[in-house]
Every structure is written in C-alpha cells, then in structure tokens.
Amino acid sequence: MLNILHVVGARPNFMKVAPVLAALDSRLMCSQRLVHTGQHYDANMSDVFFQQLGLPQPDVSLGVGSGSHAVQTAQIMIRFEEVVEEQRPDLVLVYGDVNSTVAAALVCAKLLIPVGHVEAGLRSFDRTMPEEINRLMTDQIADLLFTPSPDGDANLLREGIASDAIHHVGNVMIDTLVRLLPQAQSPRIDALAARYALVTLHRPSNVDGEAMLQRLMATLQEVSRELQVIFPIHPRTRARLQSFGLTVADDDRFLLLDPLGYLEFLALQRQATLVITDSGGVQEESTYLRVPCLTVRENTERPITIDVGTNVLVGQDMERLRAEIDHILAGTFKTGMIPQRWDGKAGERIADVIKMWQQ
Ligand code: UD1
Ligand code: UDP
C-alpha cells in the first residue's frame, strides 16, 4: 500500500491539500499522513481552515513558526528530515510556492524520496519574489509536476523538465471553492452596502516598505468615499501598519478586519463589486467567480487570470487603480471566462496520475 505524506504550512496550502486528500482516499488504496510545518499558526490563519474545510488534524506538527527565510526554511528541513527518516514515505506531496513547499521538497530530494508538486510550473519571472525562488527550486527537484494551466506546462518544458513528468490536472484551489461555495456565508453581508470592494494585501513589495503601504492605505481611504471597502488584514500587513505607526480611520465605509475564515471570505468575494489584491489565490478565485480583480503587482505567475479571466494588473500605480475602479463602476470592465479544468476535479486527476505512477 502506498504511503503518502502531504506537507502544508501556510494559509493557501490548506485549500489546496483538501481535495487531494479526499480524492486519494476515494480512488486509491493508500495510507495518508498530513504534516503541518507551523509556518502559519494563528487560529484565523490555520485552525479555522481545518474546521471549515473538514481537514483531518495533522499527524505531525513541526511547529516552526515565523522567522527569516533562512531560519524558517532551515527549521522546516531539520524537523521534516526526521519525519521522513522515520516514516520512509513512498511519495511526498507539496503544495504551492511557500517556504514550507521548497523546504520539504529539498529534504526529500536528498533522501531520494519521490516528490509531487501540486501547482507546478507557475512563473512570474520576477526573482525578487521569494515565491519565485521557491517555485523554480521545487519544480527542478520534483518527480511529478501537477500544473493548473497550460502556461505551467510550457514553462516547465522550457526549463528542461521531461514531458512525461508534467500533468495538466487543473486548479485544486478551485476544487475547494466549487465544493464549499454552497455553504459560503457571512453574518456581515446584510449590513454591507450594495456595492463594495474586498481587499487583501500581504506581498512584501506592497507592505514591507513604509512609503508604499502608506500610499496604498491613503488610496483605499479615498476609494472608500465612493465605494465601501472591506479589508481583512493579513498578520504581516497588520505588523507593518503597527511598526510604521500608520493609523487608519476605521469606520463603516472602510472596514478593517482580522483575517476571515474561508467560508466568510468566499461569501464576501462572491458578492463583491470588485477585489483589490496581491494574493495568488484570490486572483484565481475571482476569475472563477467572475468578479473584477485589480492586482496590485507588476507581474503575476497566473497570467491565465488576465488572458482568460477577470484580472488586470495595475502595478503599484494608484492612478491606474483608481481609473480601473471607475471602469468597473461604469460597467465597462471585461467579464472573463473560466479556464479549462478549473472544474472541481483537479484532485481526482491528481489521484489518477498517482495511481498510474505507482504501477
Ligand atoms: C507566506 C508565504 C506567501 C504566501 C502567504 C500566504 C513564503 C515565503 N511566503 O507569506 O507566499 O502568499 O504566506 O498568506 O512562504 N504571522 C503571524 N501569524 C501567523 C503567520 C504569520 O503573526 O499565523 C506574521 C509574523 O509576523 C510573520 C509574518 O506574519 O513574521 C509573515 O509570515 P510568513 O509566513 O513568513 O510570510 P507571509 O507573509 O505570511
Ligand atoms: N482567504 C481567507 N481569508 C482571508 C483572506 C484570504 O480565507 O481573510 C483565502 C482566499 O479565499 C484564498 C486563500 O486564502 O483561498 C489565499 O491565501 P493567501 O492570499 O494568504 O495566499 P496566496 O494565495 O497569495 O499565496
């Protein structure tokens, strides 16, 4: 019987592992164990997703917590190596592009344990992003590469990955969305204005520099005069607002919240007039939901959300952000389509590939 370990650690990993666990359970005779690195640890960044997504409690918690890139990555490697040595899994599955992803993949590559990378092949071509380094490294050492979109396959082929290792399975984050959309609800929704913007921001390029974060907050405050703004604040961003001493008037036009649970965030996203974000997952979910998305970044590793979906890059240009909001409010924004294989079945395709691979 195949012995599979899944490694997760940060918020977006939880939405990605859930459908793969479920599909493997129903399609394959295998033993599955879940390892939580502890990269994210606040209840509203971790526990809430285990409850709402119906994830099993982790079999192993590495408890690494926060730290510099080197410290966090190294701590995960040291602690995860022991787990792998003890359990000798047949396959380790890693998710997305966070430090937990590359750390676990590297441990396995050195111990000659096969690795599958779920959400392989995405590239922003911007190596100042820590996630781009994580993606490049993980894909080079993974044995099975599961891509969400054809651009992922093309990137991997260009980087010399063998075509028979690449599997265009679709988007696992959308699997979770499709499953849970009927349950998505927010107790807040009735009290909100008919039109509102939902905001998430956490990229170091937007929030780690005082000048940019100040500009963003000032722009959002201005926007809130014409369009209600709802902003669940990521802990990195909250910490920066505090350390820079940036105080923001929090009133019913500009709602500053703690990070939300998945079901509430999804409900708010579905009803939003638009989203303003730098999140990878939110670019994808808004495309699926056909909600206009303004991405505050110069590039994206998810170009399909622009070419096919509802996403537009506004860079760090606040004038452009305002102009695109006007466009959306005037009803002249693109409507977008749903990319192929973003259909709720990516986890099943992954399970089928693993079934073939083990034979
Ligand atoms: C990480 C990922 C990023 C992903 C994001 C999803 C890396 C390099 N970055 O960024 O790709 O988009 O998660 O949300 O892996 N903190 C808390 N409580 C928590 C977690 C974090 O207070 O539960 C605070 C700490 O001050 C910490 C900071 O947030 O130093 C950053 O956390 P970290 O995991 O290093 O990076 P993220 O910005 O969350
Ligand atoms: N999300 C959530 N609550 C929030 C903000 C985001 O549940 O307050 C969800 C969102 O729906 C998506 C995922 O978190 O499923 C995206 O994670 P994040 O933005 O932290 O990471 P990224 O995708 O940028 O790596």
Side-chain angles (χ1 to χ4, degrees):
M1 192 164 69
L2 207 62
N3 176 7
I4 300 176
L5 273 189
H6 302 262
V7 183
V8 293
R11 176 166 69 185
N13 294 160
F14 309 130
M15 296 71 174
K16 294 170 195 173
V17 75
V20 183
L21 273 166
L24 282 168
D25 237 356
S26 67
R27 291 183 172 230
L28 205 65
M29 283 291 289
C30 61
S31 113
Q32 304 195 66
R33 288 204 174 77
L34 184 60
V35 178
H36 190 328
T37 66
Q39 176 170 350
H40 286 173
Y41 43 85
D42 290 345
N44 59 19
M45 295 296 287
S46 178
D47 296 358
V48 67
F49 302 102
F50 279 76
Q51 290 152 20
Q52 295 192 347
L53 275 54
L55 284 170
Q57 282 309 301
D59 298 283
V60 182
S61 292
L62 303 180
V64 297
S66 303
S68 69
H69 285 278
V71 167
Q72 191 173 59
T73 309
Q75 283 297 335
I76 297 168
M77 288 184 69
I78 292 166
R79 298 179 197 194
F80 185 57
E81 186 179 48
E82 278 180 35
V83 178
V84 177
E85 292 278 28
E86 189 194 303
Q87 305 202 357
R88 299 305 298 184
D90 301 307
L91 176 67
V92 171
L93 292 177
V94 299
Y95 294 83
D97 55 13
V98 300
N99 285 347
S100 302
T101 314
V102 69
L106 211 43
V107 166
C108 295
K110 297 289 180 76
L111 295 175
L112 307 182
I113 303 286
V115 175
H117 184 202
V118 177
E119 202 183 86
L122 299 185
R123 297 289 180 267
S124 65
F125 304 101
D126 174 2
R127 292 196 184 190
T128 66
M129 273 187 96
E131 295 82 1
E132 185 73 354
I133 308 296
N134 296 345
R135 295 179 197 118
L136 283 160
M137 298 296 118
T138 305
D139 285 341
Q140 278 300 319
I141 54 183
D143 301 275
L144 291 170
L145 297 106
F146 301 109
T147 63
S149 45
D151 53 288
D153 296 46
N155 292 333
L156 293 171
L157 289 171
R158 204 180 39 251
E159 289 168 16
I161 307 287
S163 61
D164 58 1
I166 304 171
H167 305 276
H168 175 207
V169 293
N171 191 321
V172 284
M173 196 163 228
I174 299 302
D175 284 13
T176 293
L177 185 154
V178 167
R179 174 168 70 97
L180 292 178
L181 198 56
Q183 296 169 43
Q185 53 183 328
S186 164
R188 252 175 276 260
I189 217 147
D190 292 337
L192 298 178
R195 302 214 288 183
Y196 62 85
L198 180 64
V199 178
T200 76
L201 296 165
H202 69 274
R203 295 284 158 211
S205 54
N206 283 329
V207 308
D208 281 4
E210 184 172 354
M212 183 59 199
L213 186 56
Q214 189 162 23
R215 247 165 17 99
L216 271 166
M217 295 309 286
T219 304
L220 292 173
Q221 189 100 58
E222 277 168 39
V223 168
S224 73
R225 295 196 191 107
E226 57 181 321
L227 182 67
Q228 189 179 30
V229 172
I230 300 157
F231 185 8
I233 305 183
H234 188 283
R236 170 188 287 275
T237 311
R238 176 78 74 184
R240 296 296 177 269
L241 286 169
Q242 271 156 9
S243 68
F244 299 143
L246 292 177
T247 48
V248 191
D250 176 6
D251 55 36
D252 61 356
R253 299 292 304 167
F254 190 16
L255 291 180
L256 300 177
L257 308 174
D258 286 331
L260 296 172
Y262 182 72
L263 295 174
E264 175 158 25
F265 188 81
L266 200 54
L268 294 180
Q269 200 178 172
R270 173 176 54 191
Q271 295 269 98
T273 309
L274 58 100
V275 300
I276 299 170
T277 196
D278 57 16
S279 157
V282 175
Q283 290 174 63
E284 297 179 338
E285 290 169 347
S286 53
T287 272
Y288 186 87
L289 296 168
R290 296 186 151 185
V291 170
C293 177
L294 304 178
T295 297
V296 187
R297 286 176 48 185
E298 303 294 342
N299 49 57
T300 179
E301 62 290 333
R302 291 160 162 93
I304 199 160
T305 60
I306 297 177
D307 300 339
V308 176
T310 54
N311 192 13
V312 165
L313 293 181
V314 298
Q316 292 191 320
D317 179 347
M318 296 297 100
E319 293 295 309
R320 174 89 198 274
L321 177 66
R322 297 297 303 269
E324 292 294 346
I325 292 174
D326 290 345
H327 214 28
I328 294 166
L329 294 180
T332 51
F333 198 76
K334 62 179 173 177
T335 48
M337 290 185 310
I338 297 174
Q340 268 188 350
R341 299 192 200 172
W342 290 25
D343 56 0
K345 297 188 170 128
E348 293 171 12
R349 292 191 191 98
I350 290 172
D352 289 343
V353 171
I354 293 174
K355 202 168 176 177
M356 294 291 288
W357 170 83
Q358 70 157 353
Q359 283 161 3

